[in-house]
Amino acid sequence: MGTERPAYWAVIPASVRYDRDLPPNAKLLYGEVTALSDKLGYCYAKNSYFSELFGLSERSVTRLLAVLVERGYLRVDVIRDESTQEVLERRISAVYERGETAPPPDKNVGTPPDGIVHTPPDKNVGENSTSIEQIPPIVPQGGQLKKRKSKSVPSWKPERFEAFWNYYPRHEDRVSAVREWDRLKPDDALIDTIARALKRQVESGDWPAPYACRYLRNQRWLDEPAPKGGRAPAKTQARQLTGWHTEIVDGEEVMVPDG
């Protein structure tokens, strides 16, 4: 399973545990990401690591990651070389209840971790009661966990969201679109910018519209118009339709979200 050494504890918040639309293996994958993220605030494990760990195909791991990103539980960032645009690293971060990722790591995050981090744990690790990895996360005691209700109406400018939703050409997964709208909190000026761009994109006639939640999350209103007199290249269209594409990272072909 490579040199990854996860923490003793994984964190799976109630929003992830009780999401009925989330496959059980996706919840396990989310927990493993949090266990691998304790030192840097993100994990850089390859799909092959998760595949071997859970006995899944790498294609299944890709689908599970896509579901977690789609539902707003994970964020995937791709680090590229500024001069060559070569992919250097894929960083997977857990997104918590407030729509924020874990606190950023120290400024020295770019330096390699200590050599000892990859050494196997001592055989008597169970006797080490002072290690921070042996301390469970703090959880509220008493009371009953309340399941978060799925919202179909946003808290932020609901009347303007409704106008956006009614005009948008695809009406799948309204709940995720509402969540992204509340997370974005667009002011009136930004909403007008989105409306103008969306009108241009829809009227182009050949625009492969993504889900509304992806449109908002990936700021697709900033997309450049297709060249006049022809359609966008077929490869670009395929990437827009799927929302994911392949990149070579450390010699391994992995799926990353479209930029």
PDB file of all heavy atoms in Angstrom, residues 44-62:
ATOM      1  N   TYR A  44      -2.296  12.897  -0.346  1.00  0.00           N
ATOM      2  CA  TYR A  44      -1.853  12.831  -1.733  1.00  0.00           C
ATOM      3  C   TYR A  44      -1.785  11.387  -2.210  1.00  0.00           C
ATOM      4  O   TYR A  44      -1.097  11.074  -3.191  1.00  0.00           O
ATOM      5  CB  TYR A  44      -0.498  13.521  -1.901  1.00  0.00           C
ATOM      6  CG  TYR A  44       0.557  13.077  -0.902  1.00  0.00           C
ATOM      7  CD1 TYR A  44       1.313  11.938  -1.111  1.00  0.00           C
ATOM      8  CD2 TYR A  44       0.776  13.811   0.263  1.00  0.00           C
ATOM      9  CE1 TYR A  44       2.260  11.535  -0.198  1.00  0.00           C
ATOM     10  CE2 TYR A  44       1.729  13.426   1.186  1.00  0.00           C
ATOM     11  CZ  TYR A  44       2.475  12.281   0.953  1.00  0.00           C
ATOM     12  OH  TYR A  44       3.408  11.882   1.874  1.00  0.00           O
ATOM     13  N   ALA A  45      -2.502  10.492  -1.537  1.00  0.00           N
ATOM     14  CA  ALA A  45      -2.477   9.074  -1.904  1.00  0.00           C
ATOM     15  C   ALA A  45      -3.028   8.871  -3.311  1.00  0.00           C
ATOM     16  O   ALA A  45      -3.939   9.564  -3.756  1.00  0.00           O
ATOM     17  CB  ALA A  45      -3.289   8.261  -0.899  1.00  0.00           C
ATOM     18  N   LYS A  46      -2.469   7.895  -3.997  1.00  0.00           N
ATOM     19  CA  LYS A  46      -2.927   7.563  -5.342  1.00  0.00           C
ATOM     20  C   LYS A  46      -4.158   6.653  -5.265  1.00  0.00           C
ATOM     21  O   LYS A  46      -4.458   6.049  -4.243  1.00  0.00           O
ATOM     22  CB  LYS A  46      -1.816   6.846  -6.116  1.00  0.00           C
ATOM     23  CG  LYS A  46      -0.535   7.648  -6.275  1.00  0.00           C
ATOM     24  CD  LYS A  46       0.499   6.830  -7.020  1.00  0.00           C
ATOM     25  CE  LYS A  46       1.822   7.567  -7.154  1.00  0.00           C
ATOM     26  NZ  LYS A  46       2.836   6.744  -7.851  1.00  0.00           N
ATOM     27  N   ASN A  47      -4.824   6.522  -6.410  1.00  0.00           N
ATOM     28  CA  ASN A  47      -5.977   5.624  -6.474  1.00  0.00           C
ATOM     29  C   ASN A  47      -5.578   4.188  -6.167  1.00  0.00           C
ATOM     30  O   ASN A  47      -6.353   3.417  -5.610  1.00  0.00           O
ATOM     31  CB  ASN A  47      -6.627   5.695  -7.859  1.00  0.00           C
ATOM     32  CG  ASN A  47      -7.384   6.989  -8.072  1.00  0.00           C
ATOM     33  OD1 ASN A  47      -7.354   7.872  -7.220  1.00  0.00           O
ATOM     34  ND2 ASN A  47      -8.044   7.117  -9.203  1.00  0.00           N
ATOM     35  N   SER A  48      -4.342   3.820  -6.542  1.00  0.00           N
ATOM     36  CA  SER A  48      -3.881   2.445  -6.308  1.00  0.00           C
ATOM     37  C   SER A  48      -3.810   2.136  -4.812  1.00  0.00           C
ATOM     38  O   SER A  48      -4.035   0.989  -4.397  1.00  0.00           O
ATOM     39  CB  SER A  48      -2.518   2.233  -6.956  1.00  0.00           C
ATOM     40  OG  SER A  48      -1.574   3.185  -6.480  1.00  0.00           O
ATOM     41  N   TYR A  49      -3.500   3.147  -3.983  1.00  0.00           N
ATOM     42  CA  TYR A  49      -3.464   2.940  -2.528  1.00  0.00           C
ATOM     43  C   TYR A  49      -4.834   2.565  -2.003  1.00  0.00           C
ATOM     44  O   TYR A  49      -5.009   1.579  -1.282  1.00  0.00           O
ATOM     45  CB  TYR A  49      -2.947   4.198  -1.837  1.00  0.00           C
ATOM     46  CG  TYR A  49      -3.141   4.186  -0.335  1.00  0.00           C
ATOM     47  CD1 TYR A  49      -2.249   3.509   0.495  1.00  0.00           C
ATOM     48  CD2 TYR A  49      -4.231   4.828   0.254  1.00  0.00           C
ATOM     49  CE1 TYR A  49      -2.433   3.481   1.868  1.00  0.00           C
ATOM     50  CE2 TYR A  49      -4.420   4.805   1.623  1.00  0.00           C
ATOM     51  CZ  TYR A  49      -3.526   4.127   2.425  1.00  0.00           C
ATOM     52  OH  TYR A  49      -3.719   4.092   3.789  1.00  0.00           O
ATOM     53  N   PHE A  50      -5.850   3.371  -2.379  1.00  0.00           N
ATOM     54  CA  PHE A  50      -7.211   3.087  -1.918  1.00  0.00           C
ATOM     55  C   PHE A  50      -7.724   1.769  -2.504  1.00  0.00           C
ATOM     56  O   PHE A  50      -8.452   1.029  -1.842  1.00  0.00           O
ATOM     57  CB  PHE A  50      -8.144   4.234  -2.318  1.00  0.00           C
ATOM     58  CG  PHE A  50      -7.791   5.560  -1.719  1.00  0.00           C
ATOM     59  CD1 PHE A  50      -7.360   6.604  -2.510  1.00  0.00           C
ATOM     60  CD2 PHE A  50      -7.886   5.772  -0.345  1.00  0.00           C
ATOM     61  CE1 PHE A  50      -7.032   7.838  -1.967  1.00  0.00           C
ATOM     62  CE2 PHE A  50      -7.563   6.997   0.214  1.00  0.00           C
ATOM     63  CZ  PHE A  50      -7.128   8.034  -0.605  1.00  0.00           C
ATOM     64  N   SER A  51      -7.334   1.485  -3.737  1.00  0.00           N
ATOM     65  CA  SER A  51      -7.766   0.250  -4.387  1.00  0.00           C
ATOM     66  C   SER A  51      -7.270  -0.973  -3.629  1.00  0.00           C
ATOM     67  O   SER A  51      -8.026  -1.914  -3.350  1.00  0.00           O
ATOM     68  CB  SER A  51      -7.247   0.233  -5.830  1.00  0.00           C
ATOM     69  OG  SER A  51      -7.524  -1.002  -6.447  1.00  0.00           O
ATOM     70  N   GLU A  52      -5.984  -0.967  -3.271  1.00  0.00           N
ATOM     71  CA  GLU A  52      -5.415  -2.102  -2.546  1.00  0.00           C
ATOM     72  C   GLU A  52      -5.957  -2.185  -1.119  1.00  0.00           C
ATOM     73  O   GLU A  52      -6.233  -3.262  -0.604  1.00  0.00           O
ATOM     74  CB  GLU A  52      -3.894  -1.982  -2.520  1.00  0.00           C
ATOM     75  CG  GLU A  52      -3.196  -3.176  -1.876  1.00  0.00           C
ATOM     76  CD  GLU A  52      -1.690  -3.066  -1.940  1.00  0.00           C
ATOM     77  OE1 GLU A  52      -1.189  -2.156  -2.635  1.00  0.00           O
ATOM     78  OE2 GLU A  52      -1.006  -3.882  -1.285  1.00  0.00           O
ATOM     79  N   LEU A  53      -6.150  -1.032  -0.497  1.00  0.00           N
ATOM     80  CA  LEU A  53      -6.616  -0.998   0.890  1.00  0.00           C
ATOM     81  C   LEU A  53      -8.011  -1.591   1.029  1.00  0.00           C
ATOM     82  O   LEU A  53      -8.280  -2.389   1.933  1.00  0.00           O
ATOM     83  CB  LEU A  53      -6.607   0.446   1.398  1.00  0.00           C
ATOM     84  CG  LEU A  53      -7.105   0.669   2.836  1.00  0.00           C
ATOM     85  CD1 LEU A  53      -6.148   0.020   3.827  1.00  0.00           C
ATOM     86  CD2 LEU A  53      -7.234   2.163   3.125  1.00  0.00           C
ATOM     87  N   PHE A  54      -8.930  -1.206   0.121  1.00  0.00           N
ATOM     88  CA  PHE A  54     -10.326  -1.614   0.256  1.00  0.00           C
ATOM     89  C   PHE A  54     -10.714  -2.758  -0.675  1.00  0.00           C
ATOM     90  O   PHE A  54     -11.875  -3.175  -0.688  1.00  0.00           O
ATOM     91  CB  PHE A  54     -11.245  -0.414  -0.016  1.00  0.00           C
ATOM     92  CG  PHE A  54     -11.115   0.692   0.988  1.00  0.00           C
ATOM     93  CD1 PHE A  54     -10.721   1.965   0.599  1.00  0.00           C
ATOM     94  CD2 PHE A  54     -11.363   0.474   2.334  1.00  0.00           C
ATOM     95  CE1 PHE A  54     -10.592   2.991   1.521  1.00  0.00           C
ATOM     96  CE2 PHE A  54     -11.235   1.487   3.270  1.00  0.00           C
ATOM     97  CZ  PHE A  54     -10.849   2.748   2.863  1.00  0.00           C
ATOM     98  N   GLY A  55      -9.768  -3.268  -1.464  1.00  0.00           N
ATOM     99  CA  GLY A  55     -10.088  -4.366  -2.363  1.00  0.00           C
ATOM    100  C   GLY A  55     -11.026  -3.956  -3.486  1.00  0.00           C
ATOM    101  O   GLY A  55     -11.895  -4.733  -3.897  1.00  0.00           O
ATOM    102  N   LEU A  56     -10.870  -2.729  -3.998  1.00  0.00           N
ATOM    103  CA  LEU A  56     -11.715  -2.215  -5.069  1.00  0.00           C
ATOM    104  C   LEU A  56     -10.875  -1.984  -6.318  1.00  0.00           C
ATOM    105  O   LEU A  56      -9.653  -1.840  -6.237  1.00  0.00           O
ATOM    106  CB  LEU A  56     -12.361  -0.885  -4.654  1.00  0.00           C
ATOM    107  CG  LEU A  56     -13.246  -0.906  -3.396  1.00  0.00           C
ATOM    108  CD1 LEU A  56     -13.596   0.520  -2.995  1.00  0.00           C
ATOM    109  CD2 LEU A  56     -14.516  -1.708  -3.648  1.00  0.00           C
ATOM    110  N   SER A  57     -11.526  -1.935  -7.461  1.00  0.00           N
ATOM    111  CA  SER A  57     -10.817  -1.570  -8.681  1.00  0.00           C
ATOM    112  C   SER A  57     -10.526  -0.074  -8.647  1.00  0.00           C
ATOM    113  O   SER A  57     -11.218   0.693  -7.970  1.00  0.00           O
ATOM    114  CB  SER A  57     -11.653  -1.914  -9.911  1.00  0.00           C
ATOM    115  OG  SER A  57     -12.803  -1.081  -9.982  1.00  0.00           O
ATOM    116  N   GLU A  58      -9.508   0.333  -9.388  1.00  0.00           N
ATOM    117  CA  GLU A  58      -9.165   1.758  -9.430  1.00  0.00           C
ATOM    118  C   GLU A  58     -10.285   2.562 -10.088  1.00  0.00           C
ATOM    119  O   GLU A  58     -10.497   3.730  -9.765  1.00  0.00           O
ATOM    120  CB  GLU A  58      -7.838   1.964 -10.166  1.00  0.00           C
ATOM    121  CG  GLU A  58      -6.650   1.394  -9.393  1.00  0.00           C
ATOM    122  CD  GLU A  58      -5.312   1.789  -9.986  1.00  0.00           C
ATOM    123  OE1 GLU A  58      -5.230   2.863 -10.603  1.00  0.00           O
ATOM    124  OE2 GLU A  58      -4.346   1.015  -9.820  1.00  0.00           O
ATOM    125  N   ARG A  59     -11.016   1.937 -11.001  1.00  0.00           N
ATOM    126  CA  ARG A  59     -12.162   2.624 -11.603  1.00  0.00           C
ATOM    127  C   ARG A  59     -13.230   2.891 -10.554  1.00  0.00           C
ATOM    128  O   ARG A  59     -13.856   3.957 -10.550  1.00  0.00           O
ATOM    129  CB  ARG A  59     -12.721   1.790 -12.749  1.00  0.00           C
ATOM    130  CG  ARG A  59     -13.936   2.421 -13.424  1.00  0.00           C
ATOM    131  CD  ARG A  59     -14.362   1.654 -14.653  1.00  0.00           C
ATOM    132  NE  ARG A  59     -13.334   1.691 -15.677  1.00  0.00           N
ATOM    133  CZ  ARG A  59     -13.472   1.114 -16.869  1.00  0.00           C
ATOM    134  NH1 ARG A  59     -14.568   0.453 -17.172  1.00  0.00           N
ATOM    135  NH2 ARG A  59     -12.503   1.197 -17.762  1.00  0.00           N
ATOM    136  N   SER A  60     -13.448   1.914  -9.648  1.00  0.00           N
ATOM    137  CA  SER A  60     -14.424   2.119  -8.573  1.00  0.00           C
ATOM    138  C   SER A  60     -13.990   3.245  -7.648  1.00  0.00           C
ATOM    139  O   SER A  60     -14.808   4.052  -7.201  1.00  0.00           O
ATOM    140  CB  SER A  60     -14.613   0.821  -7.780  1.00  0.00           C
ATOM    141  OG  SER A  60     -15.184  -0.191  -8.575  1.00  0.00           O
ATOM    142  N   VAL A  61     -12.678   3.301  -7.345  1.00  0.00           N
ATOM    143  CA  VAL A  61     -12.161   4.381  -6.505  1.00  0.00           C
ATOM    144  C   VAL A  61     -12.409   5.734  -7.169  1.00  0.00           C
ATOM    145  O   VAL A  61     -12.820   6.698  -6.518  1.00  0.00           O
ATOM    146  CB  VAL A  61     -10.655   4.174  -6.225  1.00  0.00           C
ATOM    147  CG1 VAL A  61     -10.060   5.398  -5.536  1.00  0.00           C
ATOM    148  CG2 VAL A  61     -10.435   2.938  -5.367  1.00  0.00           C
ATOM    149  N   THR A  62     -12.184   5.805  -8.476  1.00  0.00           N
ATOM    150  CA  THR A  62     -12.422   7.053  -9.214  1.00  0.00           C
ATOM    151  C   THR A  62     -13.879   7.479  -9.089  1.00  0.00           C
ATOM    152  O   THR A  62     -14.182   8.652  -8.858  1.00  0.00           O
ATOM    153  CB  THR A  62     -12.054   6.871 -10.699  1.00  0.00           C
ATOM    154  OG1 THR A  62     -10.652   6.607 -10.795  1.00  0.00           O
ATOM    155  CG2 THR A  62     -12.385   8.119 -11.497  1.00  0.00           C
TER     156      THR A  62
END
